[in-house]
């Protein structure tokens, strides 16, 4: 029997949000703008940091969630909470979210990192389901 192999290519993103501090989610209808404290980093040489923000178009609010886990940075058992992303935005108007990892899939963007809010620090996963594009908007 003849077998075929298909190698999944890694997604080649033009900018990275790794180590960026997200400071705002600005919602307009089903679109959302995510602002960081210091832009983003190009993923091609010379890997420079650029000013800008990220837009998500046509978010599906019923399938966009935030997972907050207590025990910041610990391994082992934890307690946590799952929220709708829209409820998260209302509950945490002032926050800092340090992006440690980004994962992309079909109509999905997942950001894992550390959330600082209300004098607490959480391990946090932000899972966005968007039917529209994810757009990097830069000044260059």
């Amino acid at each position: 029997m003849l077998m075929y192999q298909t190698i999944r290519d890694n997604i080649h993103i033009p900018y990275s949000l790794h180590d960026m501090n997200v400071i705002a989610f600005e919602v307009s209808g089903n679109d959302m703008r995510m602002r960081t404290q210091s832009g983003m980093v190009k993923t091609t040489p010379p890997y420079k940091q650029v000013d800008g923000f990220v837009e998500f178009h046509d978010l599906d609010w019923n399938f966009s969630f935030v997972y907050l886990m207590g025990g910041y940075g610990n391994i082992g058992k934890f307690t946590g909470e799952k929220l709708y992303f829209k409820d998260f935005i209302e509950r945490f108007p002032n926050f800092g979210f340090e992006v440690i990892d980004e994962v992309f899939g079909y109509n999905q963007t997942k950001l894992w990192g550390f959330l600082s809010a209300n004098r607490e620090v959480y391990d946090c996963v932000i899972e966005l389901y968007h039917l529209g594009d994810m757009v990097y908007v830069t000044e260059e």
Side-chain angles (χ1 to χ4, degrees):
M1 173 175 13
L2 189 56
M3 303 296 287
Y4 298 95
Q5 293 183 343
T6 303
I7 298 173
R8 182 186 60 85
D9 188 20
N10 286 329
I11 296 175
H12 299 288
I13 57 173
Y15 299 94
S16 173
L17 300 171
H18 178 71
D19 284 341
M20 296 297 111
N21 188 35
V22 176
I23 56 171
F25 294 112
E26 301 166 353
V27 175
S28 177
N30 287 332
D31 296 338
M32 191 259 302
R33 183 173 287 171
M34 182 175 74
R35 295 196 180 272
T36 64
Q37 194 170 30
S38 53
M40 57 199 98
V41 176
K42 288 185 82 164
T43 58
T44 55
Y47 307 108
K48 70 179 191 171
Q49 195 160 328
V50 297
D51 288 331
F53 53 88
V54 180
E55 292 179 338
F56 295 89
H57 296 278
D58 201 11
L59 277 174
D60 188 330
W61 298 103
N62 293 320
F63 295 101
S64 295
F65 302 101
V66 173
Y67 302 84
L68 297 175
M69 295 161 273
Y72 157 72
N74 293 330
I75 301 298
K77 292 183 181 183
F78 62 87
T79 59
E81 181 177 6
K82 179 180 179 181
L83 302 154
Y84 283 109
F85 180 64
K86 198 144 199 165
D87 294 339
F88 167 80
I89 293 171
E90 292 174 11
R91 182 169 157 189
F92 295 98
N94 300 309
F95 68 93
F97 175 68
E98 180 185 359
V99 177
I100 301 299
D101 197 16
E102 321 162 63
V103 180
F104 305 99
Y106 184 74
N107 291 345
Q108 281 192 331
T109 300
K110 292 183 185 182
L111 304 171
W112 173 81
F114 301 115
L115 175 75
S116 301
N118 303 330
R119 297 181 184 221
E120 299 281 336
V121 179
Y122 306 88
D123 277 310
C124 180
V125 176
I126 297 174
E127 183 177 82
L128 302 172
Y129 190 80
H130 46 95
L131 300 170
D133 293 326
M134 175 184 176
V135 180
Y136 298 94
V137 180
T138 63
E139 292 184 2
E140 60 174 35

